[in-house]
Amino acid sequence: MKKTIITITGAAGNIAYSLIFRILSGNIFPDTHKIQINLLDLAEALPILKGVKYEIEDCAFPNLENITITDNPELAFMDSNYILLVGAKPRFKGMQRADLLLDNANIFQKHAKIINECVGKDTKIVVVGNPANTNALILQNFAHNLPAENITSLMKLDQNRAKSILANKLDKSVKDISQLVVWGNHSVTQFPDLNHTLVSDSHDLISSLDKNWINDIFIPRVQKRGAEIIEHRGKSSAASAASAIYDHLSILVNGSIEWESMGIIRENNYNICDEIFFSFPLKISTSNIDIINDLDISENSMKYIKDTEKELLVERDIIKDILKN
Ligand code: NAD
Ligand code: LMR
């Protein structure tokens, strides 16, 4: 019987508390498949992890074969098929995600070096801890044994937010909306792009939208949604982030017929630097992640796309000394 090992870091934190249960109760893997879940957090969080483990056991998930809780990254990462790097400081009110960069960089550097020694070439890594795109760059720099294509950073939360805000505006279901992608950084410069979006397989409803609504309400609302959640909850998004990680993992495992958004590092036809993790429009199968490289991009869209690239280049410059160590 096939077995998959999934490792989650920051497993005693807020996102993990939703994520673990979504993955184990969900349908990403076939019923016949066994799952081993490795939960990593800091030593001081081990008592919490023990409680989480008991709760997982109390769910009696039929596919679950084994749970490991540990503060030892080697043990957690060893032979994992999927590693979800959630463990990192979240931001609080008034902070930008990039303000976390130097604090969280050493977590990703340390984990990358260990991952480099303990996993096979097929292991897939999803970077969630913020600032996610640049943490992915740190990871790729130090986990050089792993193909760069195996590392992606989360943009699904942004894509889901954009879809939902648009569906509400049009009084449609999210199921009616396709080809809505988000470019660039998981930050306030990201560009949710409606130019190729279809509603019930047609662009007509998008064409009829007021441009002021798109530019002054829709785009900023998506860009600032994370901060809006923090403003209301006093804490950063957790259940919606977990749901997006679930979607992202499901796409990596099963592919998708939709256009997707993930942060990847890759040569592309859009003149975006190939030394940063950048979110592009993607087609994803069970074996490949391909950039949709032939879209017409208006001058106005290119301005947004170049702004978000510029921000990622600044983030890369901030960590350039770390990348050399
Ligand atoms: P949290 O503070 O509730 O949990 C983080 C956990 O990570 C804590 O339990 C902490 O002990 C653990 N941790 C810290 N250093 C670690 C290490 N070296 N090894 C293992 N575990 C470690 O935070 P959260 O709300 O779960 O958010 C986690 C991260 O995800 C934050 O950086 C947050 O900004 C980010 N986030 C990203 C997205 C996205 O779309 N990319 C969405 C939401 C949140
Ligand atoms: C989000 O988008 O909700 C997360 O990245 C958390 C944050 O800091 O905004």
Side-chain angles (χ1 to χ4, degrees):
M1 192 173 292
K2 200 159 177 215
K3 178 168 140 183
T4 298
I5 305 179
I6 303 170
T7 295
I8 300 176
T9 72
N14 275 304
I15 294 177
Y17 195 62
S18 291
L19 177 63
I20 297 165
F21 299 90
R22 283 244 29 213
I23 292 176
L24 292 174
S25 62
N27 60 1
I28 295 179
F29 301 97
D31 282 352
T32 51
H33 217 101
K34 290 286 169 204
I35 293 180
Q36 172 175 328
I37 193 137
N38 294 346
L39 303 178
L40 176 73
D41 209 296
L42 300 173
E44 59 264 32
L46 284 176
I48 300 173
L49 274 189
K50 189 170 255 188
V52 173
K53 180 177 186 234
Y54 289 160
E55 284 205 75
I56 297 169
E57 287 170 359
D58 293 349
C59 294
F61 292 116
N63 290 8
L64 181 64
E65 188 178 79
N66 188 38
I67 315 166
T68 301
I69 58 169
T70 183
D71 62 346
N72 175 347
E74 282 91 349
L75 183 65
F77 295 140
M78 189 63 72
D79 298 328
S80 298
N81 301 101
Y82 296 94
I83 300 178
L84 311 178
L85 293 174
V86 181
K89 274 193 190 167
R91 68 172 165 152
F92 292 96
K93 272 185 198 174
M95 292 169 80
Q96 292 300 323
R97 297 180 186 98
D99 297 335
L100 299 167
L101 192 45
L102 293 174
D103 273 348
N104 286 338
N106 45 24
I107 300 177
F108 285 83
Q109 182 186 25
K110 178 176 165 215
H111 284 173
K113 288 180 175 173
I114 299 167
I115 285 170
N116 202 40
E117 302 304 325
C118 327
V119 302
K121 296 237 178 300
D122 291 335
T123 302
K124 304 265 170 58
I125 318 262
V126 182
V127 180
V128 177
N130 275 318
N133 303 55
T134 300
N135 287 333
L137 183 62
I138 296 173
L139 186 88
Q140 186 257 338
N141 184 76
F142 291 103
H144 39 76
N145 288 338
L146 203 65
E149 302 80 68
N150 292 16
I151 302 170
T152 53
S153 65
L154 187 72
M155 293 296 290
K156 192 64 179 172
L157 180 55
D158 308 285
Q159 207 187 3
N160 284 345
R161 286 169 171 166
K163 213 178 229 192
S164 207
I165 291 168
L166 179 67
N168 282 342
K169 169 73 179 170
L170 297 173
D171 202 15
K172 290 279 178 186
S173 157
V174 286
K175 280 189 288 187
D176 298 325
I177 296 171
S178 57
Q179 301 188 182
L180 200 181
V181 291
V182 180
W183 299 76
N185 197 4
H186 173 62
S187 76
V188 283
T189 65
Q190 67 181 270
F191 174 44
D193 184 356
L194 294 183
N195 290 297
H196 316 280
T197 300
L198 304 178
V199 182
S200 308
D201 297 323
S202 154
H203 191 63
D204 292 353
L205 269 179
I206 303 291
S207 302
S208 68
L209 277 170
D210 177 2
K211 296 284 169 288
N212 292 332
W213 180 80
I214 297 179
N215 293 325
D216 303 337
I217 298 190
F218 172 73
I219 295 175
R221 187 99 201 258
V222 179
Q223 292 172 324
K224 295 181 193 156
R225 186 62 158 191
E228 198 181 356
I229 303 289
I230 293 171
E231 193 60 39
H232 288 276
R233 257 173 51 85
K235 286 194 269 190
S236 70
S237 66
S240 57
S243 189
I245 301 166
Y246 175 89
D247 292 344
H248 184 119
L249 180 62
S250 176
I251 292 162
L252 291 181
V253 174
N254 298 309
S256 168
I257 51 165
E258 242 283 49
W259 291 18
E260 300 297 346
S261 300
M262 295 182 179
I264 61 168
I265 190 163
R266 190 82 62 85
E267 277 183 18
N268 58 87
N269 287 357
Y270 297 108
N271 193 26
I272 298 297
C273 172
D274 61 2
E275 295 171 4
I276 50 178
F277 274 78
F278 193 90
S279 178
F280 292 99
L282 302 173
K283 285 300 288 177
I284 303 179
S285 69
T286 50
S287 54
N288 284 320
I289 297 181
D290 294 312
I291 299 177
I292 302 169
N293 253 322
D294 56 356
L295 298 177
D296 284 333
I297 308 294
S298 69
E299 210 175 300
N300 185 44
S301 298
M302 198 39 96
K303 197 178 152 314
Y304 278 110
I305 291 171
K306 282 288 162 191
D307 278 354
T308 190
E309 178 194 36
K310 195 163 144 201
E311 183 185 42
L312 280 166
L313 292 172
V314 170
E315 289 185 19
R316 183 195 61 175
D317 288 347
I318 295 172
I319 53 141
K320 75 173 178 297
D321 288 340
I322 297 172
L323 294 180
K324 287 183 207 141
N325 288 323

